Amino acid sequence: MQMTRQAFLALTQEGKAAYKAGDPSDACPYDRLGNAEQQFGHRYWTRGWVEARSAAEADQPATAGQ
């Protein structure tokens, strides 16, 4: 894997798709402690997953007082 902007965008989209498919954040196929390419994959896959979760939470109405 090349660590480029295109790879970053692809990994971010992959993480978002995983969230939408119901995968947990620890289902990341990249190793956080691996070599530089694995760390790059983990960082941006996780970023995509978190962005998708944040967007989904922002779309839900707030339920205060429950």
Side-chain angles (χ1 to χ4, degrees), residues 32-50:
R32 182 175 61 88
L33 302 176
N35 62 25
E37 290 181 352
Q38 286 289 312
Q39 290 177 14
F40 179 85
H42 183 272
R43 177 178 299 123
Y44 293 111
W45 185 97
T46 303
R47 176 181 282 185
W49 191 94
V50 169

Side-chain angles (χ1 to χ4, degrees), residues 15-64:
K16 289 178 180 180
Y19 177 81
K20 290 177 183 172
D23 293 343
S25 63
D26 61 357
C28 179
Y30 304 98
D31 185 6
R32 182 175 61 88
L33 302 176
N35 62 25
E37 290 181 352
Q38 286 289 312
Q39 290 177 14
F40 179 85
H42 183 272
R43 177 178 299 123
Y44 293 111
W45 185 97
T46 303
R47 176 181 282 185
W49 191 94
V50 169
E51 286 177 4
R53 182 188 66 189
S54 297
E57 289 174 352
D59 289 342
Q60 294 179 359
T63 55

